[in-house]
Amino acid sequence: MTRREKQALIDKGHLLPLMEEFYTIQGEGFHKGTAAYFVRIGGCDVGCHWCDVKESWLPELHPATETSKIVENAVKYSDIIVVTGGEPLTWDMGPLTEQLKAKGVQTHIETSGAYKLTGQWDWICLSPKKMKLPTDEIYEKAHELKCIVYNKDDFKFAEEQAAKVNKDCILYLQPEWSKRDKMMPQIVDYVMANPKWKVSLQTHKYLNIP
């Protein structure tokens, strides 16, 4: 297969740069504590300086893998498949989710929303970033909004994002891991003063699991 042919298949979502895949416990947000199979797709140009998986940014570092093989492996482990990244919406998620839904599993995505929403999703976790804001369409479809709090200015950004999502979207504030000791007391106070928000923790890191 030539490089051009391979890129054409990637562009159509039939091949995806697969960084890693693993069966674990969902650590964040609404589904925390739930067993799920994670598929981490490489490729992201949003550029969060505090990103804890910067090795996911360059798609060429990760093998272009047949979508059908990803599906075949994932459904062996769980009926909840979480697609994350990187930024998975960099790529067309249609073929992946179509095949997953054909297997009767639930499809979840964790995304910044910076690119066009593709795919069929049972749960959309929108985690917007200041550097590259979400597309308008995803605000109406997001099931949960997860805003990362790195400093005090992030509370203002979180409110701006909350004003754009649909009325049923669950709102979460989550401390950036390296700032958790400093920001957690502020988040607790903020949620108590603004109870439309909930606290999200990266419980998988406390549990020392993937």
Side-chain angles (χ1 to χ4, degrees), residues 74-126:
V75 299
K76 294 176 184 176
Y77 294 89
S78 180
D79 59 2
I80 299 176
I81 311 302
V82 182
V83 181
T84 185
E87 174 45 69
L89 292 181
T90 302
W91 320 103
D92 184 354
M93 291 286 107
L96 177 64
T97 57
E98 182 179 349
Q99 292 175 62
L100 287 170
K101 296 307 293 179
K103 298 288 188 179
V105 301
Q106 294 184 50
T107 54
H108 297 191
I109 187 171
E110 299 182 351
T111 177
S112 69
Y115 291 97
K116 178 183 176 181
L117 180 63
T118 56
Q120 306 170 45
W121 303 104
D122 295 297
W123 192 265
I124 297 173
C125 173
L126 174 61

Side-chain angles (χ1 to χ4, degrees), residues 18 20-22 37-41 70 74 81-85:
L18 180 62
E20 60 179 345
E21 49 188 340
F22 49 91
Y37 194 75
F38 280 70
V39 175
R40 188 181 301 280
I41 305 298
I70 296 174
I81 311 302
V82 182
V83 181
T84 185

Side-chain angles (χ1 to χ4, degrees), residues 74-204:
V75 299
K76 294 176 184 176
Y77 294 89
S78 180
D79 59 2
I80 299 176
I81 311 302
V82 182
V83 181
T84 185
E87 174 45 69
L89 292 181
T90 302
W91 320 103
D92 184 354
M93 291 286 107
L96 177 64
T97 57
E98 182 179 349
Q99 292 175 62
L100 287 170
K101 296 307 293 179
K103 298 288 188 179
V105 301
Q106 294 184 50
T107 54
H108 297 191
I109 187 171
E110 299 182 351
T111 177
S112 69
Y115 291 97
K116 178 183 176 181
L117 180 63
T118 56
Q120 306 170 45
W121 303 104
D122 295 297
W123 192 265
I124 297 173
C125 173
L126 174 61
S127 186
K129 305 299 186 293
K130 298 175 184 177
M131 297 75 73
K132 200 162 191 168
L133 294 173
T135 62
D136 290 338
E137 62 177 338
I138 201 167
Y139 288 113
E140 182 58 33
K141 297 180 179 179
H143 297 92
E144 67 178 291
L145 176 73
K146 183 176 67 182
C147 292
I148 308 302
V149 180
Y150 183 81
N151 56 41
K152 289 185 69 172
D153 188 58
D154 290 324
F155 292 110
K156 178 182 177 183
F157 177 71
E159 290 292 354
E160 292 170 352
Q161 296 301 296
K164 296 182 179 183
V165 296
N166 64 82
K167 63 181 178 61
D168 296 320
C169 187
I170 305 169
L171 308 179
Y172 288 102
L173 296 173
Q174 178 173 297
E176 195 278 324
W177 182 252
S178 70
K179 298 290 184 179
R180 64 192 183 280
D181 291 339
K182 177 181 178 181
M183 299 312 301
M184 183 51 72
Q186 297 182 46
I187 291 174
V188 169
D189 289 345
Y190 194 89
V191 170
M192 291 177 70
N194 301 273
K196 67 180 180 181
W197 291 95
K198 299 178 185 294
V199 177
S200 175
L201 298 174
Q202 291 181 290
T203 58
H204 56 292

Side-chain angles (χ1 to χ4, degrees), residues 8-24:
L9 290 173
I10 292 174
D11 292 341
K12 293 178 180 178
H14 298 303
L15 292 175
L16 292 169
L18 180 62
M19 177 181 168
E20 60 179 345
E21 49 188 340
F22 49 91
Y23 185 44
T24 190

